[in-house]
Amino acid sequence: MKDPVSFKLKNGMNVIVAENLGTPKVYVQMSFEATNFYNAAKVAAVREVFNALFNQQLNALDARLSYNERGINLVSSGASFENGLRSLFAGLNMPAFTQKALDQAKAIILGHLNTRDVYLPAEINKVSLAKISLDEVNAYYNEIKAPAQIYLTIAGNIALSGAKSLVKSMTEENMRKQDRNKAYLVSSEL
């Protein structure tokens, strides 16, 4: 394994690549460092609902993607890494969550509360879940996915130059998509 190399993209995202051509897999974690800024007691229910919501959408996008409070995770073979990374960036830039998805996520968490099969902080209960709005969850996500607060770590069977090239091109591609979406939204309001 070579020493990790880090660099920062134009949008502020921090990237760390650890090349290890001796392993058959590539491991990726996109961590949202801004989640550390939140008071756990205040946003525990919003964070838990967001975790359930985001996992549903990521799994629908690509079964290799998962999310936990530390970020988005991907494990891929070297051959399918590019497609997996593309899915990860698509997941990061998904449109806002829907009310239907929010209701499903709340139902999942309520089920865990009732069966007590998953640890949930004491702040999460039926009342706190009922109070969560779609706007709160979307606002939370928009705050934690600021590029300057994201660390993308790639380790495994990928050359540094290949990882760097893929990450840069996918970031630029997604930035162009966001710009087009904004332009479309502005023109549709006229």
Side-chain angles (χ1 to χ4, degrees):
M1 183 172 196
K2 294 186 178 181
D3 287 338
V5 175
S6 64
F7 56 95
K8 188 175 277 211
L9 299 175
K10 288 179 186 177
N11 69 355
M13 184 184 298
N14 299 285
V15 181
I16 301 166
V17 179
E19 183 180 324
N20 183 357
L21 301 179
T23 181
K25 302 276 185 186
V26 181
Y27 303 89
V28 179
Q29 182 179 47
M30 180 178 277
S31 61
F32 300 126
E33 298 299 312
T35 59
N36 298 328
F37 303 150
Y38 288 91
N39 177 331
K42 275 190 161 183
V43 298
V46 172
R47 187 181 326 202
E48 201 62 41
V49 168
F50 170 77
N51 291 353
L53 255 172
F54 202 46
N55 256 320
Q56 287 174 357
Q57 291 198 6
L58 286 175
N59 285 325
L61 190 61
D62 188 325
R64 296 171 294 174
L65 295 173
S66 65
Y67 178 79
N68 61 31
E69 61 280 347
R70 290 189 267 348
I72 303 172
N73 301 293
L74 167 69
V75 178
S76 177
S77 68
S80 64
F81 172 68
E82 183 173 347
N83 289 334
L85 193 62
R86 190 172 309 285
S87 295
L88 185 145
F89 274 95
L92 179 65
N93 294 304
M94 278 189 270
F97 301 112
T98 65
Q99 186 63 47
K100 181 179 177 184
L102 177 68
D103 294 341
Q104 289 172 341
K106 284 182 177 183
I108 289 169
I109 296 167
L110 195 54
H112 290 311
L113 276 172
N114 291 335
T115 59
R116 299 175 192 248
D117 61 345
V118 172
Y119 168 78
L120 294 168
E123 299 85 14
I124 300 173
N125 54 50
K126 289 179 184 179
V127 174
S128 65
L129 282 174
K131 290 181 182 178
I132 296 172
S133 72
L134 189 58
D135 288 340
E136 285 177 302
V137 175
N138 283 320
Y140 173 77
Y141 184 47
N142 286 328
E143 287 184 37
I144 67 167
K145 72 174 189 175
Q149 296 297 324
I150 293 177
Y151 282 81
L152 179 65
T153 305
I154 302 170
N157 190 3
I158 187 161
L160 172 63
S161 60
K164 203 173 202 179
S165 175
L166 280 172
V167 169
K168 283 182 177 181
S169 70
M170 289 187 192
T171 302
E172 289 170 5
E173 180 180 309
N174 280 291
M175 287 171 65
R176 285 192 305 272
K177 282 181 185 174
Q178 286 178 340
D179 291 343
R180 279 197 305 269
N181 288 342
K182 287 178 186 175
Y184 173 76
L185 290 175
V186 170
S187 64
S188 68
E189 292 177 342
L190 298 175

